[in-house]
Amino acid sequence: MNPMRIVARRGVFAVVLAASVIYLTGCASMTRMSTRYKPLHPSNNQSVDFTVNATDGDGISQARLYVYEYALSVVNGMQTATKRNNGTWGLVKTWNFPSNPTSINETHALTGFPASTFLTFLFRVTDKKGNSKQEEWSFAAGDWPFGNNPIPLWGNGAPAERIDVCFVADRTDYATARNMLPDLEALIFDGYHINNGVKMGKKYWQFYYSPQRGFISDFDASPRTMDIPSSVQNSTIIDHAAVIHTTVKRDWASGGNFGTEPTNIGTAAHESGHAAFKLMDEYSGGGHNTSSDPHHNNYNSKSNCESYNTSNGWPAADCQNIEGSWWRPEPSSLTCIMLNDGDAAMPDFERTCINRISWFYSQLETP
Ligand SMILES: [Zn+2]
């Protein structure tokens, strides 16, 4: 094979990627991987489990875990993370798979980290053909030195280029904010991360929790109240907050913030669909609005809805009346999560919403 041609093709491919954000999924020879750690925000010197889950049709030959330990402090008035002297820095574990399994699920525990730690971990998985894929995430460990500021649980980039979600413990259900953390593991890793719209842009989702608790009432309560701590409400990095409660309530949203039970993963993804992507409800009795952004899932006339579908290659006849003058371009037979949030199940975002989500992600990072 002519190496010059490979270089040229890779160059073209890179340009296409930058121009339109292409998501590669479903190819048998690609490594698919997910990573996680536990417990969330480990306390001082508490052992931490790092886990990688990967599949690759070509067979997997190796996995490696790298950990980078930073110390958090205030330097010249700035909250700063600096490499910790004598801290963990680099490769900590290698798994070799001479039988080249098509799937792996490995965990490595590290003894704990002191107060004021910020950790980055990186898993790199290499397939039998020598192709590698990696995931890199960061989180706080040990006592948090920055007061009531939201504590990073899962992130990898500049907040301006990410969707930053802060969880707030409902004070009626959790004696401390930290008591909520075990419930968040499933909500993040087995909730948000299994949603199709989140998965296609997983790197864009960052999660935090508030050291201070809050409160959300039932929708039908009088007065109807939501209390988001000011350090979250006024945060320059948080895009929306979710009050986590275990008492069963009729949930609602206001100002981009919402409440949910941690087990209602579909509710959380639906509400984040409103808050992050400005998608609207596709059911009667929900909130309806249209938008000047491309690909919205509510139209205020049948003809506008039909022209959207026609211009996107979908049947005009798919448009259905929601209520009053409001129309949805994707039919109820598709059962989008914006039509029915699924509560503890996780319905997919469907075609119109997926297009909106793709567009939204493409706006987050400017080349
Ligand atoms: Zn809704």
Short mmCIF file of all heavy atoms in Angstrom, two decimals, residues 253 267 270-271 273-274 279-283 286-287 337-339 341, ligand 1:
data_model
loop_
_atom_site.label_atom_id
_atom_site.label_comp_id
_atom_site.label_asym_id
_atom_site.label_seq_id
_atom_site.Cartn_x
_atom_site.Cartn_y
_atom_site.Cartn_z
N ALA A 253 -39.69 21.10 36.60
CA ALA A 253 -38.48 21.84 36.24
C ALA A 253 -38.79 23.32 36.23
O ALA A 253 -39.91 23.74 35.96
CB ALA A 253 -37.97 21.41 34.87
N THR A 267 -36.28 10.01 33.61
CA THR A 267 -36.72 11.36 33.98
C THR A 267 -35.54 12.33 33.94
O THR A 267 -35.64 13.44 33.41
CB THR A 267 -37.33 11.35 35.38
OG1 THR A 267 -38.41 10.40 35.40
CG2 THR A 267 -37.86 12.72 35.78
N HIS A 270 -34.55 13.05 30.34
CA HIS A 270 -35.59 13.89 29.71
C HIS A 270 -35.44 15.34 30.18
O HIS A 270 -35.45 16.26 29.36
CB HIS A 270 -36.97 13.33 30.08
CG HIS A 270 -38.13 14.21 29.71
ND1 HIS A 270 -38.99 13.91 28.68
CD2 HIS A 270 -38.59 15.37 30.25
CE1 HIS A 270 -39.91 14.86 28.58
NE2 HIS A 270 -39.70 15.76 29.53
N GLU A 271 -35.31 15.54 31.47
CA GLU A 271 -35.20 16.89 32.00
C GLU A 271 -33.90 17.55 31.55
O GLU A 271 -33.88 18.75 31.25
CB GLU A 271 -35.30 16.89 33.52
CG GLU A 271 -36.66 16.44 34.07
CD GLU A 271 -37.82 17.34 33.66
OE1 GLU A 271 -37.57 18.49 33.24
OE2 GLU A 271 -38.97 16.90 33.75
N GLY A 273 -32.61 16.90 28.76
CA GLY A 273 -32.90 17.21 27.36
C GLY A 273 -33.50 18.60 27.22
O GLY A 273 -33.17 19.33 26.28
N HIS A 274 -34.37 18.96 28.15
CA HIS A 274 -34.89 20.34 28.17
C HIS A 274 -33.75 21.32 28.47
O HIS A 274 -33.54 22.30 27.78
CB HIS A 274 -35.93 20.52 29.28
CG HIS A 274 -37.24 19.85 29.04
ND1 HIS A 274 -37.96 20.01 27.89
CD2 HIS A 274 -37.98 19.04 29.83
CE1 HIS A 274 -39.09 19.32 27.97
NE2 HIS A 274 -39.13 18.72 29.15
N LEU A 279 -34.76 21.12 24.10
CA LEU A 279 -35.84 20.36 23.49
C LEU A 279 -37.11 20.56 24.31
O LEU A 279 -37.05 20.82 25.51
CB LEU A 279 -35.47 18.86 23.43
CG LEU A 279 -34.34 18.53 22.46
CD1 LEU A 279 -33.81 17.13 22.72
CD2 LEU A 279 -34.83 18.66 21.02
N MET A 280 -38.27 20.42 23.64
CA MET A 280 -39.53 20.63 24.33
C MET A 280 -40.29 19.31 24.46
O MET A 280 -39.89 18.28 23.93
CB MET A 280 -40.38 21.67 23.56
CG MET A 280 -39.69 23.02 23.42
SD MET A 280 -39.06 23.74 24.97
CE MET A 280 -40.60 24.00 25.85
N ASP A 281 -41.41 19.35 25.21
CA ASP A 281 -42.19 18.15 25.38
C ASP A 281 -42.96 17.81 24.12
O ASP A 281 -43.46 18.69 23.42
CB ASP A 281 -43.18 18.33 26.55
CG ASP A 281 -42.47 18.33 27.88
OD1 ASP A 281 -41.61 17.44 28.09
OD2 ASP A 281 -42.78 19.20 28.72
N GLU A 282 -43.06 16.51 23.84
CA GLU A 282 -43.82 16.05 22.68
C GLU A 282 -45.18 15.50 23.10
O GLU A 282 -45.89 14.93 22.26
CB GLU A 282 -43.01 15.00 21.91
CG GLU A 282 -41.70 15.55 21.34
CD GLU A 282 -40.88 14.54 20.55
OE1 GLU A 282 -41.40 13.44 20.26
OE2 GLU A 282 -39.72 14.85 20.23
N TYR A 283 -45.52 15.66 24.40
CA TYR A 283 -46.82 15.14 24.87
C TYR A 283 -47.76 16.28 25.23
O TYR A 283 -47.32 17.40 25.54
CB TYR A 283 -46.62 14.20 26.07
CG TYR A 283 -46.01 14.86 27.30
CD1 TYR A 283 -46.80 15.49 28.26
CD2 TYR A 283 -44.63 14.84 27.50
CE1 TYR A 283 -46.24 16.09 29.38
CE2 TYR A 283 -44.06 15.44 28.61
CZ TYR A 283 -44.87 16.06 29.55
OH TYR A 283 -44.33 16.65 30.65
N GLY A 286 -47.58 19.06 28.32
CA GLY A 286 -46.20 19.43 28.61
C GLY A 286 -45.92 20.87 28.25
O GLY A 286 -46.84 21.64 27.94
N GLY A 287 -44.64 21.22 28.26
CA GLY A 287 -44.23 22.58 27.89
C GLY A 287 -43.91 22.62 26.41
O GLY A 287 -43.22 21.75 25.89
N ILE A 337 -37.90 9.91 24.03
CA ILE A 337 -37.86 10.20 25.48
C ILE A 337 -38.51 11.55 25.79
O ILE A 337 -38.98 11.77 26.91
CB ILE A 337 -36.40 10.14 26.00
CG1 ILE A 337 -36.37 10.16 27.53
CG2 ILE A 337 -35.56 11.27 25.41
CD1 ILE A 337 -35.00 9.88 28.12
N MET A 338 -38.62 12.44 24.79
CA MET A 338 -39.29 13.72 25.03
C MET A 338 -40.81 13.56 24.92
O MET A 338 -41.57 14.47 25.26
CB MET A 338 -38.79 14.81 24.08
CG MET A 338 -37.29 15.11 24.20
SD MET A 338 -36.66 15.29 25.89
CE MET A 338 -37.41 16.85 26.38
N LEU A 339 -41.29 12.39 24.44
CA LEU A 339 -42.72 12.08 24.46
C LEU A 339 -43.08 11.41 25.78
O LEU A 339 -44.10 11.71 26.39
CB LEU A 339 -43.09 11.17 23.28
CG LEU A 339 -44.55 10.72 23.23
CD1 LEU A 339 -45.42 11.86 22.71
CD2 LEU A 339 -44.70 9.49 22.31
N ASP A 341 -40.92 10.01 29.26
CA ASP A 341 -39.56 9.96 29.84
C ASP A 341 -39.16 8.59 30.37
O ASP A 341 -37.99 8.36 30.67
CB ASP A 341 -39.38 11.05 30.90
CG ASP A 341 -40.16 10.79 32.19
OD1 ASP A 341 -40.61 9.66 32.44
OD2 ASP A 341 -40.31 11.76 32.96
ZN ZN B 1 -40.59 17.52 29.85
#
